[in-house]
Amino acid sequence: MAKSPRMTLQTQLVLRTLLETPAKARYGLELSHAAGLPTGTIHPILARLEAAGWLESFWEDQSQIEKTDPPRPRRRYYRFTTSGAESARLALAAAYRGGATSALLGPVADGLGS
């Protein structure tokens, strides 16, 4: 099993955003807007979470792109692995209990440790 990712504030914001709808696959720009972080910050975090085994990714089907007007590049989607969402909840709860980010994340710990 891979090493757990560092729980920076930015990583916590990405995890919190993903946990809003844990079964839904989301693409980088969508996550960037939802978490309030630049794409240059989001993508390295997603890569670390994927390397840790918390996320899996896949490329959008080409047929979906052909339906867009104007055409756009394919999107890479990310979603939690089977154990990834639970690992994220536990890590966020531990970070919240640590107190370093509790004022910034607010009530994020509600229900995370249960």
Side-chain angles (χ1 to χ4, degrees):
M1 177 161 222
K3 182 179 164 185
S4 292
R6 290 179 305 140
M7 279 296 113
T8 64
L9 175 60
Q10 292 85 359
T11 300
Q12 292 174 52
L13 290 170
V14 170
L15 289 173
R16 181 179 181 188
T17 300
L18 286 164
L19 284 169
E20 289 172 359
T21 52
K24 181 181 178 185
R26 301 177 74 176
Y27 60 96
L29 187 60
E30 175 186 18
L31 289 167
S32 173
H33 291 296
L37 297 169
T39 57
T41 300
I42 290 284
H43 289 286
I45 292 170
L46 293 171
R48 285 194 299 272
L49 294 172
E50 188 171 16
W54 292 14
L55 297 180
E56 60 187 4
S57 68
F58 60 94
W59 287 100
E60 179 177 38
D61 186 75
Q62 186 67 34
S63 65
Q64 294 301 108
I65 299 168
E66 293 167 359
K67 296 176 185 175
T68 64
D69 186 31
R72 58 170 173 72
R74 287 190 331 167
R75 293 174 175 161
R76 187 170 185 169
Y77 283 86
Y78 298 86
R79 66 177 165 222
F80 282 114
T81 60
T82 304
S83 62
E86 184 62 20
S87 295
R89 284 185 189 94
L90 294 172
L92 282 175
Y96 185 79
R97 282 192 302 274
T101 58
S102 60
L104 295 171
L105 292 176
V108 69
D110 292 347
L112 291 179
S114 53

